[in-house]
Amino acid sequence: MSHCDNNWNVNLVRFVPLALRIYIVTWNVSTKFPENISLNKLLGLENRPEQDSHLPDFFVIGLQEVNAQPQNTLYNLFKDDLWTQKFKEVLKERDYVVIKTEQMQGLLLSVFARRKHLLHLRQVETEYTRTGLGGIWGNKGAVSIRMNVYGSSICLVNAHLAAHDHMLEERINDYERIVQEQKFHVKAKETIFDHDYVFWFGDLNFRLTGEATTSADEIRAMVARDELKQLIEKDQLLLVRREGRAFAQLQERLPQFPPTFKFEHGSNEYDMKRRPAWTDRILYAVNENNYRNVRLTAEQTSYKSHPSYSISDHKPVTSEFTLKVNRKPQYSGEHFRKQHNNRLSYKLAMANNTDVHSFDDLVTDLIDYGQVYEDTTERTVSFKPIELWLVGEPNTIEYVIPNGFEEGNADWIGIYRENFTSLSEYLAYEYTETYKDKQHQLNEQQLQHMQNTRTVQLTFSENVSLPLGTRYQLLYFQSTGTRGVTGLVGISPAFGVEKRCPSPSFDEID
């Protein structure tokens, strides 16, 4: 996001109305593995991809109590966890790509995007907060992923808060700790609620009040009589939001589905060892007036549970949102100057107001400074076509850096198989050479040249081994380093690889 400069020569980029659909899943999977289950119904998909219509732009998967035994943790260092693999199998057939996955013990958060959006996702960053055992243990807490999507900032928070009916204060403390401790490295978006859109979901573990007067059997009977409206009035989350004690900045359409906890494994019968409750929730917030030239909106189009899934003692919950940006008229400073330079208002101001000494002073008085919504994702790195990649030899590529593009101090280019399904699937990579690293060696003219559009060469080592018979693509990542801010800003055309035939030896020549 950019701020207007003082001379008001800012020309806003051409505005394209934004309307994106996000489908969110939250599910406490009770350490179970995704064996012999279909996820299509959970994701609102048909059995065959060609039957799907109106696919969402993003799927956000938030799981709790994923099996985090040591042997599984070691496995996950080298491959996606089994749940991510299962979701990927379904979604890759519909051309979705895993943008980012973040895991903290049993908490797992993954974001899938349709391939057509990849170059419009910037400044992706992850965070996590432990709240178990006073912040020592990660069995409770939150993991989050933030990103810019077509210029709008989105923060996704998957949380698992303190359990049991009587632990309300601990849940509130968990919430406050997550809000205070999660800090990002994107300017003006350092905290969760700095973002344009916030989605907070997970096993929030809020129960029903009246533990002494309302038994598990009574709650079950009210559910059977479809007295959900009366029952939801006892919901702890609803009460603390009304009192402003926690989650007050977030909205929620009240659940119209039965409590999602606690069930007998493998059935739709409540386990009467616990009082049923709506522990699994999806909330959201929209900072609709973050910018002075647009209004942000989010429409929640669905919110439901999925009782047919019975491997866990929780039922999964899903919600779908449509995000929109509605533009308000906005003049650039230059346009304002041309339209009003000879106006009487300007002459009167110059004659009667001794504090106004120039037209710029008048513009400053008339227009409020603040953030202006811009889609900065039009600045992409373009690759020159690669005619042929020779295996076992150095290969030099060329790419074009656009004017105004800011290279990160850890930018890199990765080699991927064509139609890759995850941004973590690179086969090899090379860091780019950024001018920031050698600014002290360049004179002013050279620095100016480096900031203009320019073509750059980068050589990959002969040690890069790519299997034959497959096509590949290069991806340029703008990055600030390990656990830093990353964005995909360039994708090359696909190319093939070959191995050069060896030259004949002297003995082989007749």
Side-chain angles (χ1 to χ4, degrees):
M1 302 303 173
S2 66
H3 295 269
C4 293
D5 59 12
N6 289 334
N7 62 18
W8 282 93
N9 286 325
V10 175
N11 289 307
L12 302 184
V13 297
R14 183 174 60 86
F15 184 85
V16 179
L18 171 70
L20 295 172
R21 292 171 58 209
I22 295 182
Y23 190 100
I24 298 175
V25 177
T26 180
W27 191 7
N28 183 320
V29 296
S30 298
T31 72
K32 298 298 188 293
F33 294 110
E35 298 171 348
N36 303 318
I37 64 170
S38 170
L39 297 175
N40 289 58
K41 188 174 182 181
L42 178 63
L43 297 173
L45 302 174
E46 301 296 335
N47 289 326
R48 292 187 297 180
E50 62 270 18
Q51 297 175 320
D52 292 317
S53 60
H54 305 295
L55 288 170
D57 299 283
F58 299 90
F59 280 100
V60 178
I61 314 297
L63 305 180
Q64 308 85 41
E65 291 194 22
V66 172
N67 195 309
Q69 295 178 358
Q71 62 269 30
N72 295 319
T73 303
L74 181 64
Y75 172 86
N76 293 346
L77 292 175
F78 303 100
K79 296 187 69 175
D80 287 329
D81 69 276
L82 296 175
W83 278 100
T84 300
Q85 286 187 51
K86 187 77 173 182
F87 280 102
K88 190 195 295 186
E89 287 172 9
V90 177
L91 294 175
K92 72 179 182 181
E93 297 178 344
R94 290 141 176 101
D95 209 26
Y96 285 86
V97 177
V98 182
I99 300 304
K100 196 74 173 179
T101 295
E102 179 72 0
Q103 183 168 8
M104 181 184 72
Q105 289 182 219
L107 272 170
L108 178 66
L109 176 60
S110 297
V111 178
F112 294 77
R114 298 186 73 176
R115 192 177 302 272
K116 66 181 182 180
H117 298 307
L118 291 183
L119 287 179
H120 301 279
L121 310 179
R122 302 292 170 86
Q123 297 183 319
V124 180
E125 185 180 2
T126 62
E127 257 301 343
Y128 62 88
T129 302
R130 300 184 181 95
T131 61
L133 296 178
I136 299 173
W137 193 239
N139 64 321
K140 296 292 191 292
V143 294
S144 61
I145 297 174
R146 65 88 52 217
M147 58 186 177
N148 282 13
V149 180
Y150 289 94
S152 289
S153 61
I154 298 177
C155 187
L156 306 158
V157 184
N158 175 27
H160 193 185
L161 306 185
H164 305 302
D165 292 55
H166 64 282
M167 299 286 277
L168 175 59
E169 294 302 321
E170 284 73 9
R171 285 188 276 281
I172 294 174
N173 291 338
D174 287 352
Y175 168 80
E176 292 175 345
R177 184 170 195 149
I178 293 164
V179 171
Q180 292 169 5
E181 292 190 4
Q182 296 230 343
K183 303 294 183 185
F184 301 101
H185 298 87
V186 176
K187 187 178 180 181
K189 308 295 178 185
E190 290 91 350
T191 71
I192 291 172
F193 289 108
D194 286 336
H195 290 77
D196 301 337
Y197 298 98
V198 177
F199 297 94
W200 193 309
F201 44 91
D203 180 0
L204 306 184
N205 256 323
F206 286 97
R207 308 305 172 90
L208 299 177
T209 59
E211 184 178 0
T213 58
T214 310
S215 69
D217 287 328
E218 289 170 318
I219 295 172
R220 181 173 60 179
M222 291 181 71
V223 172
R225 295 194 298 268
D226 198 27
E227 296 175 355
L228 300 182
K229 287 185 178 179
Q230 298 92 312
L231 203 55
I232 197 67
E233 287 299 316
K234 297 176 178 288
D235 177 63
Q236 289 179 343
L237 178 56
L238 176 61
L239 296 175
V240 298
R241 286 183 56 240
R242 286 176 176 173
E243 296 166 0
R245 300 176 66 197
F247 292 91
Q249 293 171 269
L250 293 144
Q251 305 177 52
E252 182 192 26
R253 179 200 292 182
L254 290 183
Q256 296 181 349
F257 45 85
T260 54
F261 173 82
K262 172 180 169 85
F263 288 86
E264 298 279 0
H265 288 280
S267 80
N268 285 328
E269 297 296 325
Y270 286 109
D271 181 347
M272 291 295 97
K273 295 175 185 176
R274 294 283 188 274
R275 298 166 71 242
W278 284 278
T279 57
D280 309 282
R281 310 288 275 270
I282 300 173
L283 297 90
Y284 68 101
V286 184
N287 288 313
E288 60 181 32
N289 297 316
N290 259 9
Y291 309 100
R292 55 185 177 78
N293 64 322
V294 301
R295 184 172 65 87
L296 309 177
T297 63
E299 179 188 4
Q300 187 175 18
T301 56
S302 71
Y303 191 24
K304 58 187 177 182
S305 67
H306 297 262
S308 62
Y309 289 88
S310 57
I311 66 169
S312 166
D313 55 358
H314 290 251
K315 298 301 181 184
V317 173
T318 63
S319 187
E320 189 167 6
F321 298 86
T322 299
L323 311 187
K324 294 182 180 179
V325 174
N326 302 307
R327 190 182 185 196
K328 299 175 183 177
Q330 176 66 50
Y331 287 123
S332 70
E334 188 61 33
H335 181 88
F336 191 96
R337 185 187 307 276
K338 289 178 180 178
Q339 294 294 318
H340 298 275
N341 195 48
N342 295 319
R343 284 290 192 88
L344 178 62
S345 59
Y346 170 63
K347 295 180 179 180
L348 288 174
M350 292 292 290
N352 299 325
N353 189 341
T354 57
D355 293 330
V356 176
H357 301 292
S358 69
F359 189 82
D360 288 328
D361 290 332
L362 179 66
V363 173
T364 301
D365 288 344
L366 294 179
I367 302 178
D368 178 40
Y369 283 98
Q371 285 190 314
V372 176
Y373 179 90
E374 293 184 87
D375 179 2
T376 59
T377 58
E378 81 284 357
R379 294 193 183 98
T380 57
V381 172
S382 58
F383 288 90
K384 295 193 174 181
I386 299 171
E387 301 300 331
L388 187 63
W389 186 285
L390 292 171
V391 176
E393 300 183 27
N395 288 273
T396 299
I397 65 166
E398 287 189 322
Y399 56 93
V400 179
I401 298 287
N403 180 34
F405 179 84
E406 292 189 11
E407 296 173 81
N409 56 17
D411 286 9
W412 57 281
I413 295 176
I415 305 176
Y416 288 72
R417 287 184 174 85
E418 187 181 18
N419 298 321
F420 53 92
T421 59
S422 172
L423 296 186
S424 65
E425 293 176 349
Y426 60 87
L427 303 175
Y429 68 91
E430 288 283 351
Y431 284 106
T432 66
E433 185 176 329
T434 67
Y435 78 89
K436 288 182 179 180
D437 297 332
K438 53 182 181 180
Q439 279 187 359
H440 63 282
Q441 303 173 8
L442 303 177
N443 60 39
E444 187 173 338
Q445 185 177 2
Q446 289 171 320
L447 281 173
Q448 182 62 42
H449 169 73
M450 295 294 283
Q451 292 171 357
N452 295 332
T453 299
R454 66 191 189 281
T455 300
V456 182
Q457 291 186 337
L458 181 68
T459 300
F460 280 80
S461 165
E462 68 274 9
N463 296 323
V464 172
S465 178
L466 299 179
L468 301 175
T470 302
R471 291 177 65 78
Y472 301 90
Q473 290 179 287
L474 300 174
L475 274 61
Y476 186 114
F477 288 90
Q478 193 176 29
S479 177
T480 58
T482 306
R483 287 199 62 81
V485 182
T486 302
L488 175 60
V489 295
I491 302 177
S492 79
F495 59 91
V497 299
E498 287 187 12
K499 191 173 182 64
R500 192 191 300 272
C501 293
S503 299
S505 65
F506 183 79
D507 293 338
E508 293 173 327
I509 300 176
D510 291 332

PDB file of all heavy atoms in Angstrom, residues 32-57:
ATOM      1  N   LYS A  32      -6.572 -38.286  14.224  1.00  0.00           N
ATOM      2  CA  LYS A  32      -6.865 -39.322  13.237  1.00  0.00           C
ATOM      3  C   LYS A  32      -6.212 -38.968  11.901  1.00  0.00           C
ATOM      4  O   LYS A  32      -5.946 -37.809  11.591  1.00  0.00           O
ATOM      5  CB  LYS A  32      -8.373 -39.484  13.055  1.00  0.00           C
ATOM      6  CG  LYS A  32      -9.106 -39.922  14.313  1.00  0.00           C
ATOM      7  CD  LYS A  32      -8.626 -41.285  14.791  1.00  0.00           C
ATOM      8  CE  LYS A  32      -9.483 -41.821  15.937  1.00  0.00           C
ATOM      9  NZ  LYS A  32      -9.339 -41.003  17.167  1.00  0.00           N
ATOM     10  N   PHE A  33      -5.960 -40.001  11.100  1.00  0.00           N
ATOM     11  CA  PHE A  33      -5.408 -39.823   9.769  1.00  0.00           C
ATOM     12  C   PHE A  33      -6.527 -39.866   8.728  1.00  0.00           C
ATOM     13  O   PHE A  33      -7.563 -40.509   8.950  1.00  0.00           O
ATOM     14  CB  PHE A  33      -4.372 -40.905   9.468  1.00  0.00           C
ATOM     15  CG  PHE A  33      -3.138 -40.815  10.331  1.00  0.00           C
ATOM     16  CD1 PHE A  33      -2.880 -41.760  11.310  1.00  0.00           C
ATOM     17  CD2 PHE A  33      -2.243 -39.765  10.176  1.00  0.00           C
ATOM     18  CE1 PHE A  33      -1.754 -41.666  12.116  1.00  0.00           C
ATOM     19  CE2 PHE A  33      -1.114 -39.660  10.974  1.00  0.00           C
ATOM     20  CZ  PHE A  33      -0.869 -40.616  11.945  1.00  0.00           C
ATOM     21  N   PRO A  34      -6.335 -39.229   7.567  1.00  0.00           N
ATOM     22  CA  PRO A  34      -7.400 -39.138   6.560  1.00  0.00           C
ATOM     23  C   PRO A  34      -7.490 -40.381   5.681  1.00  0.00           C
ATOM     24  O   PRO A  34      -7.427 -40.306   4.448  1.00  0.00           O
ATOM     25  CB  PRO A  34      -6.988 -37.911   5.750  1.00  0.00           C
ATOM     26  CG  PRO A  34      -5.496 -37.906   5.811  1.00  0.00           C
ATOM     27  CD  PRO A  34      -5.147 -38.422   7.190  1.00  0.00           C
ATOM     28  N   GLU A  35      -7.628 -41.522   6.291  1.00  0.00           N
ATOM     29  CA  GLU A  35      -7.679 -42.772   5.534  1.00  0.00           C
ATOM     30  C   GLU A  35      -9.122 -43.117   5.186  1.00  0.00           C
ATOM     31  O   GLU A  35     -10.028 -43.001   6.007  1.00  0.00           O
ATOM     32  CB  GLU A  35      -7.060 -43.913   6.354  1.00  0.00           C
ATOM     33  CG  GLU A  35      -5.584 -43.685   6.690  1.00  0.00           C
ATOM     34  CD  GLU A  35      -5.063 -44.722   7.672  1.00  0.00           C
ATOM     35  OE1 GLU A  35      -5.897 -45.453   8.239  1.00  0.00           O
ATOM     36  OE2 GLU A  35      -3.835 -44.783   7.872  1.00  0.00           O
ATOM     37  N   ASN A  36      -9.315 -43.532   3.957  1.00  0.00           N
ATOM     38  CA  ASN A  36     -10.610 -44.049   3.503  1.00  0.00           C
ATOM     39  C   ASN A  36     -11.751 -43.048   3.670  1.00  0.00           C
ATOM     40  O   ASN A  36     -12.888 -43.434   3.956  1.00  0.00           O
ATOM     41  CB  ASN A  36     -10.954 -45.357   4.240  1.00  0.00           C
ATOM     42  CG  ASN A  36      -9.891 -46.415   4.063  1.00  0.00           C
ATOM     43  OD1 ASN A  36      -9.368 -46.596   2.964  1.00  0.00           O
ATOM     44  ND2 ASN A  36      -9.551 -47.107   5.148  1.00  0.00           N
ATOM     45  N   ILE A  37     -11.463 -41.756   3.534  1.00  0.00           N
ATOM     46  CA  ILE A  37     -12.531 -40.766   3.551  1.00  0.00           C
ATOM     47  C   ILE A  37     -12.408 -39.884   2.315  1.00  0.00           C
ATOM     48  O   ILE A  37     -11.313 -39.658   1.799  1.00  0.00           O
ATOM     49  CB  ILE A  37     -12.518 -39.892   4.826  1.00  0.00           C
ATOM     50  CG1 ILE A  37     -11.239 -39.038   4.906  1.00  0.00           C
ATOM     51  CG2 ILE A  37     -12.700 -40.720   6.072  1.00  0.00           C
ATOM     52  CD1 ILE A  37     -11.287 -37.995   5.999  1.00  0.00           C
ATOM     53  N   SER A  38     -13.543 -39.415   1.840  1.00  0.00           N
ATOM     54  CA  SER A  38     -13.570 -38.472   0.721  1.00  0.00           C
ATOM     55  C   SER A  38     -13.781 -37.070   1.280  1.00  0.00           C
ATOM     56  O   SER A  38     -14.633 -36.848   2.139  1.00  0.00           O
ATOM     57  CB  SER A  38     -14.708 -38.819  -0.238  1.00  0.00           C
ATOM     58  OG  SER A  38     -14.883 -37.775  -1.182  1.00  0.00           O
ATOM     59  N   LEU A  39     -13.004 -36.127   0.775  1.00  0.00           N
ATOM     60  CA  LEU A  39     -13.108 -34.747   1.251  1.00  0.00           C
ATOM     61  C   LEU A  39     -13.958 -33.877   0.329  1.00  0.00           C
ATOM     62  O   LEU A  39     -14.134 -32.690   0.587  1.00  0.00           O
ATOM     63  CB  LEU A  39     -11.710 -34.136   1.362  1.00  0.00           C
ATOM     64  CG  LEU A  39     -10.763 -34.797   2.379  1.00  0.00           C
ATOM     65  CD1 LEU A  39      -9.378 -34.178   2.288  1.00  0.00           C
ATOM     66  CD2 LEU A  39     -11.321 -34.671   3.791  1.00  0.00           C
ATOM     67  N   ASN A  40     -14.499 -34.462  -0.734  1.00  0.00           N
ATOM     68  CA  ASN A  40     -15.231 -33.661  -1.718  1.00  0.00           C
ATOM     69  C   ASN A  40     -16.414 -32.933  -1.108  1.00  0.00           C
ATOM     70  O   ASN A  40     -16.604 -31.732  -1.327  1.00  0.00           O
ATOM     71  CB  ASN A  40     -15.708 -34.555  -2.870  1.00  0.00           C
ATOM     72  CG  ASN A  40     -14.567 -35.026  -3.741  1.00  0.00           C
ATOM     73  OD1 ASN A  40     -13.630 -35.656  -3.260  1.00  0.00           O
ATOM     74  ND2 ASN A  40     -14.627 -34.726  -5.020  1.00  0.00           N
ATOM     75  N   LYS A  41     -17.218 -33.637  -0.333  1.00  0.00           N
ATOM     76  CA  LYS A  41     -18.405 -33.007   0.253  1.00  0.00           C
ATOM     77  C   LYS A  41     -18.014 -31.912   1.226  1.00  0.00           C
ATOM     78  O   LYS A  41     -18.656 -30.852   1.284  1.00  0.00           O
ATOM     79  CB  LYS A  41     -19.260 -34.061   0.951  1.00  0.00           C
ATOM     80  CG  LYS A  41     -20.601 -33.540   1.430  1.00  0.00           C
ATOM     81  CD  LYS A  41     -21.462 -34.657   1.983  1.00  0.00           C
ATOM     82  CE  LYS A  41     -22.828 -34.120   2.416  1.00  0.00           C
ATOM     83  NZ  LYS A  41     -23.675 -35.209   2.982  1.00  0.00           N
ATOM     84  N   LEU A  42     -16.957 -32.147   1.993  1.00  0.00           N
ATOM     85  CA  LEU A  42     -16.485 -31.136   2.938  1.00  0.00           C
ATOM     86  C   LEU A  42     -16.088 -29.855   2.220  1.00  0.00           C
ATOM     87  O   LEU A  42     -16.313 -28.745   2.725  1.00  0.00           O
ATOM     88  CB  LEU A  42     -15.292 -31.687   3.728  1.00  0.00           C
ATOM     89  CG  LEU A  42     -14.622 -30.750   4.733  1.00  0.00           C
ATOM     90  CD1 LEU A  42     -15.597 -30.369   5.839  1.00  0.00           C
ATOM     91  CD2 LEU A  42     -13.372 -31.382   5.314  1.00  0.00           C
ATOM     92  N   LEU A  43     -15.515 -29.986   1.028  1.00  0.00           N
ATOM     93  CA  LEU A  43     -15.041 -28.840   0.255  1.00  0.00           C
ATOM     94  C   LEU A  43     -16.095 -28.297  -0.709  1.00  0.00           C
ATOM     95  O   LEU A  43     -15.810 -27.366  -1.468  1.00  0.00           O
ATOM     96  CB  LEU A  43     -13.783 -29.232  -0.527  1.00  0.00           C
ATOM     97  CG  LEU A  43     -12.578 -29.637   0.336  1.00  0.00           C
ATOM     98  CD1 LEU A  43     -11.447 -30.157  -0.548  1.00  0.00           C
ATOM     99  CD2 LEU A  43     -12.103 -28.484   1.191  1.00  0.00           C
ATOM    100  N   GLY A  44     -17.287 -28.879  -0.670  1.00  0.00           N
ATOM    101  CA  GLY A  44     -18.348 -28.415  -1.559  1.00  0.00           C
ATOM    102  C   GLY A  44     -18.105 -28.751  -3.011  1.00  0.00           C
ATOM    103  O   GLY A  44     -18.568 -28.035  -3.905  1.00  0.00           O
ATOM    104  N   LEU A  45     -17.384 -29.856  -3.253  1.00  0.00           N
ATOM    105  CA  LEU A  45     -17.013 -30.249  -4.613  1.00  0.00           C
ATOM    106  C   LEU A  45     -17.813 -31.464  -5.057  1.00  0.00           C
ATOM    107  O   LEU A  45     -18.273 -32.263  -4.245  1.00  0.00           O
ATOM    108  CB  LEU A  45     -15.516 -30.572  -4.669  1.00  0.00           C
ATOM    109  CG  LEU A  45     -14.562 -29.453  -4.236  1.00  0.00           C
ATOM    110  CD1 LEU A  45     -13.129 -29.980  -4.204  1.00  0.00           C
ATOM    111  CD2 LEU A  45     -14.668 -28.253  -5.170  1.00  0.00           C
ATOM    112  N   GLU A  46     -17.930 -31.584  -6.365  1.00  0.00           N
ATOM    113  CA  GLU A  46     -18.545 -32.771  -6.941  1.00  0.00           C
ATOM    114  C   GLU A  46     -17.507 -33.894  -7.015  1.00  0.00           C
ATOM    115  O   GLU A  46     -16.315 -33.686  -6.766  1.00  0.00           O
ATOM    116  CB  GLU A  46     -19.099 -32.456  -8.337  1.00  0.00           C
ATOM    117  CG  GLU A  46     -20.128 -31.345  -8.360  1.00  0.00           C
ATOM    118  CD  GLU A  46     -21.391 -31.691  -7.590  1.00  0.00           C
ATOM    119  OE1 GLU A  46     -21.683 -32.887  -7.436  1.00  0.00           O
ATOM    120  OE2 GLU A  46     -22.086 -30.748  -7.140  1.00  0.00           O
ATOM    121  N   ASN A  47     -17.964 -35.058  -7.373  1.00  0.00           N
ATOM    122  CA  ASN A  47     -17.050 -36.202  -7.421  1.00  0.00           C
ATOM    123  C   ASN A  47     -16.070 -36.112  -8.581  1.00  0.00           C
ATOM    124  O   ASN A  47     -14.968 -36.642  -8.506  1.00  0.00           O
ATOM    125  CB  ASN A  47     -17.848 -37.513  -7.524  1.00  0.00           C
ATOM    126  CG  ASN A  47     -18.570 -37.829  -6.231  1.00  0.00           C
ATOM    127  OD1 ASN A  47     -18.069 -37.535  -5.147  1.00  0.00           O
ATOM    128  ND2 ASN A  47     -19.764 -38.405  -6.337  1.00  0.00           N
ATOM    129  N   ARG A  48     -16.468 -35.417  -9.651  1.00  0.00           N
ATOM    130  CA  ARG A  48     -15.573 -35.270 -10.798  1.00  0.00           C
ATOM    131  C   ARG A  48     -15.338 -33.788 -11.066  1.00  0.00           C
ATOM    132  O   ARG A  48     -16.286 -32.993 -11.046  1.00  0.00           O
ATOM    133  CB  ARG A  48     -16.170 -35.951 -12.039  1.00  0.00           C
ATOM    134  CG  ARG A  48     -16.224 -37.485 -11.914  1.00  0.00           C
ATOM    135  CD  ARG A  48     -16.648 -38.124 -13.207  1.00  0.00           C
ATOM    136  NE  ARG A  48     -17.997 -37.726 -13.597  1.00  0.00           N
ATOM    137  CZ  ARG A  48     -18.625 -38.150 -14.705  1.00  0.00           C
ATOM    138  NH1 ARG A  48     -17.996 -38.979 -15.524  1.00  0.00           N
ATOM    139  NH2 ARG A  48     -19.838 -37.741 -14.988  1.00  0.00           N
ATOM    140  N   PRO A  49     -14.085 -33.403 -11.328  1.00  0.00           N
ATOM    141  CA  PRO A  49     -13.770 -31.978 -11.510  1.00  0.00           C
ATOM    142  C   PRO A  49     -14.593 -31.293 -12.587  1.00  0.00           C
ATOM    143  O   PRO A  49     -14.968 -30.124 -12.425  1.00  0.00           O
ATOM    144  CB  PRO A  49     -12.280 -32.001 -11.876  1.00  0.00           C
ATOM    145  CG  PRO A  49     -11.757 -33.256 -11.285  1.00  0.00           C
ATOM    146  CD  PRO A  49     -12.874 -34.249 -11.379  1.00  0.00           C
ATOM    147  N   GLU A  50     -14.895 -31.999 -13.665  1.00  0.00           N
ATOM    148  CA  GLU A  50     -15.626 -31.347 -14.753  1.00  0.00           C
ATOM    149  C   GLU A  50     -17.063 -31.010 -14.361  1.00  0.00           C
ATOM    150  O   GLU A  50     -17.747 -30.245 -15.053  1.00  0.00           O
ATOM    151  CB  GLU A  50     -15.614 -32.239 -16.012  1.00  0.00           C
ATOM    152  CG  GLU A  50     -16.284 -33.591 -15.843  1.00  0.00           C
ATOM    153  CD  GLU A  50     -15.326 -34.674 -15.364  1.00  0.00           C
ATOM    154  OE1 GLU A  50     -14.250 -34.311 -14.843  1.00  0.00           O
ATOM    155  OE2 GLU A  50     -15.657 -35.872 -15.513  1.00  0.00           O
ATOM    156  N   GLN A  51     -17.543 -31.568 -13.237  1.00  0.00           N
ATOM    157  CA  GLN A  51     -18.897 -31.271 -12.778  1.00  0.00           C
ATOM    158  C   GLN A  51     -18.952 -30.047 -11.871  1.00  0.00           C
ATOM    159  O   GLN A  51     -20.030 -29.543 -11.574  1.00  0.00           O
ATOM    160  CB  GLN A  51     -19.473 -32.482 -12.033  1.00  0.00           C
ATOM    161  CG  GLN A  51     -19.636 -33.722 -12.899  1.00  0.00           C
ATOM    162  CD  GLN A  51     -20.094 -34.925 -12.093  1.00  0.00           C
ATOM    163  OE1 GLN A  51     -19.645 -35.137 -10.963  1.00  0.00           O
ATOM    164  NE2 GLN A  51     -21.001 -35.706 -12.669  1.00  0.00           N
ATOM    165  N   ASP A  52     -17.794 -29.582 -11.413  1.00  0.00           N
ATOM    166  CA  ASP A  52     -17.753 -28.442 -10.493  1.00  0.00           C
ATOM    167  C   ASP A  52     -18.081 -27.150 -11.230  1.00  0.00           C
ATOM    168  O   ASP A  52     -17.669 -26.937 -12.360  1.00  0.00           O
ATOM    169  CB  ASP A  52     -16.370 -28.309  -9.853  1.00  0.00           C
ATOM    170  CG  ASP A  52     -16.067 -29.451  -8.901  1.00  0.00           C
ATOM    171  OD1 ASP A  52     -16.961 -29.831  -8.135  1.00  0.00           O
ATOM    172  OD2 ASP A  52     -14.938 -29.969  -8.937  1.00  0.00           O
ATOM    173  N   SER A  53     -18.820 -26.292 -10.562  1.00  0.00           N
ATOM    174  CA  SER A  53     -19.100 -24.965 -11.103  1.00  0.00           C
ATOM    175  C   SER A  53     -18.894 -23.934 -10.009  1.00  0.00           C
ATOM    176  O   SER A  53     -19.069 -24.223  -8.821  1.00  0.00           O
ATOM    177  CB  SER A  53     -20.536 -24.890 -11.635  1.00  0.00           C
ATOM    178  OG  SER A  53     -21.465 -25.160 -10.597  1.00  0.00           O
ATOM    179  N   HIS A  54     -18.476 -22.739 -10.407  1.00  0.00           N
ATOM    180  CA  HIS A  54     -18.285 -21.632  -9.460  1.00  0.00           C
ATOM    181  C   HIS A  54     -17.315 -22.012  -8.341  1.00  0.00           C
ATOM    182  O   HIS A  54     -17.620 -21.901  -7.153  1.00  0.00           O
ATOM    183  CB  HIS A  54     -19.615 -21.189  -8.874  1.00  0.00           C
ATOM    184  CG  HIS A  54     -20.637 -20.816  -9.905  1.00  0.00           C
ATOM    185  ND1 HIS A  54     -20.477 -19.737 -10.747  1.00  0.00           N
ATOM    186  CD2 HIS A  54     -21.820 -21.398 -10.239  1.00  0.00           C
ATOM    187  CE1 HIS A  54     -21.530 -19.647 -11.554  1.00  0.00           C
ATOM    188  NE2 HIS A  54     -22.351 -20.650 -11.274  1.00  0.00           N
ATOM    189  N   LEU A  55     -16.154 -22.474  -8.726  1.00  0.00           N
ATOM    190  CA  LEU A  55     -15.149 -22.833  -7.731  1.00  0.00           C
ATOM    191  C   LEU A  55     -14.669 -21.593  -6.988  1.00  0.00           C
ATOM    192  O   LEU A  55     -14.509 -20.524  -7.584  1.00  0.00           O
ATOM    193  CB  LEU A  55     -13.951 -23.510  -8.407  1.00  0.00           C
ATOM    194  CG  LEU A  55     -14.170 -24.926  -8.918  1.00  0.00           C
ATOM    195  CD1 LEU A  55     -12.983 -25.362  -9.779  1.00  0.00           C
ATOM    196  CD2 LEU A  55     -14.359 -25.902  -7.758  1.00  0.00           C
ATOM    197  N   PRO A  56     -14.424 -21.696  -5.676  1.00  0.00           N
ATOM    198  CA  PRO A  56     -13.863 -20.554  -4.953  1.00  0.00           C
ATOM    199  C   PRO A  56     -12.452 -20.252  -5.429  1.00  0.00           C
ATOM    200  O   PRO A  56     -11.768 -21.103  -5.996  1.00  0.00           O
ATOM    201  CB  PRO A  56     -13.883 -21.011  -3.490  1.00  0.00           C
ATOM    202  CG  PRO A  56     -13.933 -22.500  -3.539  1.00  0.00           C
ATOM    203  CD  PRO A  56     -14.669 -22.850  -4.796  1.00  0.00           C
ATOM    204  N   ASP A  57     -12.002 -19.038  -5.166  1.00  0.00           N
ATOM    205  CA  ASP A  57     -10.657 -18.646  -5.558  1.00  0.00           C
ATOM    206  C   ASP A  57      -9.609 -19.199  -4.602  1.00  0.00           C
ATOM    207  O   ASP A  57      -8.477 -19.469  -5.006  1.00  0.00           O
ATOM    208  CB  ASP A  57     -10.565 -17.123  -5.609  1.00  0.00           C
ATOM    209  CG  ASP A  57     -11.522 -16.542  -6.634  1.00  0.00           C
ATOM    210  OD1 ASP A  57     -11.202 -16.624  -7.831  1.00  0.00           O
ATOM    211  OD2 ASP A  57     -12.589 -16.037  -6.231  1.00  0.00           O
TER     212      ASP A  57
END
